[in-house]
Amino acid sequence: MILEEFLKNLKRGKFMIPYCISCSSATWPPSDHCYLCASKTKLRRIEHITGKLVEFTASKDMGSRRIFGVVDIEGVKLIGSIKSLLPYVGMNLNIDACGVLSDGTPFYEFKDSEE
Amino acid sequence: MDKVAIVAYETSKFIKQSDASIFELSCQPCIGIFKRTAIDRSEVDALILSSCCTDQYGSTIVSEMLRLRPRISYRVDNLCNSGTTAITSAFSHISAGLCDCALVVGAEKSNNTSAQKLRWDITRGCFNLPIHWASIFARSHMRNFGTTEEQMAMVSVKNHKNSSKNPTALFNKEVTLQDVMNSRMISEPIKLLDCSSICEGSSALLLVSKKKVKQFTDNPVWIKGIGHRTTCASFSQVATDLVSLQSTRAAAEQAYKMSQTNPKNIDIAELHDAFTIMEILAYEDLFFTQKGEGGKFVYQEKISVNPRGGILGCGHPIGATGIAQTVEIAAQLAGRAGKTQVKGCKTGLVHNMAAAGSSSSVIILGT
């Protein structure tokens, strides 16, 4: 099952996106079948692909101030922490870290692609 | 298609929590309706329960507890958009001739945390609370249109003022602009008093076919138009447009078309103000004003918006919210809204939605 495989890799710090083996579109959130053509999907590791910051703000809900935002990686939009003191919309970002917390919640962290 | 009227309604007092079970909570407003209408319970041929509770067989248990034997009985779960979805289900059964008299009840316990996070959506990572997506919408609206934190705060001031007159609301105390602006920052720019509170509550409506109306009232409120749209479930898809509620726009267009009316004819509305920014977005996406002008629209007085106090003032018992919104508009149009009554309203609108606006409903009522 693609979702289980995705989470297994995420736990090891590997971020992967399922792509359709037929039409090549990204299938997000992960699924065994392509949302467009219903063909099978296969995970592909995303390591050095640069995403763009779509929007960002900062949360204090966990005590300290955390900058977070929506990042677009090849059409897949994720919410994650932004490790930059001066983020801006359109900024190029790479995945710096990702994983799964002890309660099963996934997390994604992004950093400036220039760093 | 047979016409459908709302002939009776009741909302229980919204509270933080109680020992009542979800089933007892569901029965409370229904018993109120039975007392008011003296309806023969054998006439109720549908009971639809709107709730995100996971208790099995809820609608059927509630039916037994009310001594009903309906033809149709089931539970609807569509997250925060459950209530109006349940009303549309009842409307459809009646207009199709499958039943004549449907009781629609919404109920939620505040300890039902399953409705507060959409766990399937791993898009949201560890920023998976509703306030996170709401603050993203707020930042985007501010960046693109210059909407201010004060304009958002005024939504809370207005709605708490309205809820101070509503005996069923969770909050009966007015707040000032300073109160909202000085309240604790949670996720910028959203502060504590920009947020609604999850609470416990129930609300019910009795819907009947045209041939049954006279038995209950000479002053029915008719369901004139309904619009629904589900665009997606994940925030990844919602995030293709962070300054609009695309599902609301589509639902509104459908509801205006069905009711053969337009936004200029709306006198009164209950909008889904789970956060202050969501009411501002709703002004625009229900076409009350132009895109980008929602922040300024909070000061207008032509349309009475959220006369019961909205979700900000009344609290948010998730499965009951859409029902309670519709109860308020029906009561307003019937001239029976008590202390919250707005004079002279003839056409009203209900806007209910779920999960960052991934699905929306719009219902238009008229006399």
Side-chain angles (χ1 to χ4, degrees), chain B residues 28 30 33 93 95 111 117 123 130 174 180 185 232 245 267 280 323 326 333:
Chain B
Q28 287 170 11
C30 302
I33 286 175
H93 294 315
S95 62
N111 60 6
K117 279 184 190 175
T123 295
E174 291 190 36
V180 185
M185 183 67 80
C232 55
L245 303 167
D267 303 308
I280 287 172
I323 312 279
T326 311
L333 298 178

Side-chain angles (χ1 to χ4, degrees), chain B residues 136-155:
Chain B
I136 292 275
F137 272 118
R139 270 284 176 247
S140 198
H141 212 270
M142 290 170 81
R143 191 185 313 282
N144 284 281
F145 305 120
T147 303
T148 66
E149 292 182 43
E150 285 79 5
Q151 288 169 338
M152 287 185 245
M154 281 307 296
V155 173

Side-chain angles (χ1 to χ4, degrees), chain A residues 3 6-7 28-30 35 54-61 65-70 75-81 89 101 103 105-108, chain B residues 117 119-129 131-133 135-136 139-141 143-144 184-189 234-237 239-240 242:
Chain A
L3 180 60
F6 168 83
L7 291 170
W28 188 265
Y35 294 152
V54 176
E55 189 54 83
F56 67 94
T57 186
S59 174
K60 288 183 178 169
D61 64 317
R65 188 172 182 271
R66 301 180 296 166
I67 298 173
F68 71 100
V70 180
V76 169
K77 294 184 182 67
L78 293 169
I79 303 182
S81 303
V89 171
L101 301 173
D103 68 351
T105 304
F107 69 89
Y108 317 102
Chain B
K117 279 184 190 175
R119 294 199 178 275
W120 169 82
D121 188 11
I122 60 171
T123 295
R124 307 177 191 201
C126 57
F127 298 91
N128 55 4
L129 294 170
I131 194 167
H132 294 127
W133 54 254
S135 60
I136 292 275
R139 270 284 176 247
S140 198
H141 212 270
R143 191 185 313 282
N144 284 281
R184 181 167 58 88
M185 183 67 80
I186 303 175
S187 189
E188 297 171 9
S234 73
F235 191 74
S236 189
Q237 294 297 315
T240 55
L242 289 170

Side-chain angles (χ1 to χ4, degrees), chain B residues 270-286:
Chain B
E270 277 290 329
L271 309 188
H272 196 103
D273 57 329
F275 299 94
T276 52
I277 184 62
M278 304 321 285
E279 181 168 319
I280 287 172
L281 285 166
Y283 296 152
E284 299 170 1
D285 297 322
L286 294 163

Side-chain angles (χ1 to χ4, degrees), chain A residues 34-52:
Chain A
C34 169
Y35 294 152
L36 293 176
C37 73
S39 301
K40 285 188 176 178
T41 58
K42 197 174 177 184
L43 288 172
R44 194 192 303 162
R45 184 162 185 191
I46 302 296
E47 202 166 10
H48 301 296
I49 293 179
T50 302
K52 281 210 184 294

Side-chain angles (χ1 to χ4, degrees), chain B residues 145-193:
Chain B
F145 305 120
T147 303
T148 66
E149 292 182 43
E150 285 79 5
Q151 288 169 338
M152 287 185 245
M154 281 307 296
V155 173
S156 184
V157 172
K158 170 180 70 68
N159 292 353
H160 279 92
K161 185 178 179 186
N162 290 346
S163 75
S164 71
K165 291 177 269 180
N166 179 355
T168 65
L170 179 64
F171 299 111
N172 296 120
K173 197 179 161 193
E174 291 190 36
V175 297
T176 65
L177 182 62
Q178 278 65 40
D179 290 335
V180 185
M181 293 298 288
N182 294 334
S183 62
R184 181 167 58 88
M185 183 67 80
I186 303 175
S187 189
E188 297 171 9
I190 296 184
K191 305 161 198 76
L192 182 65
L193 289 174

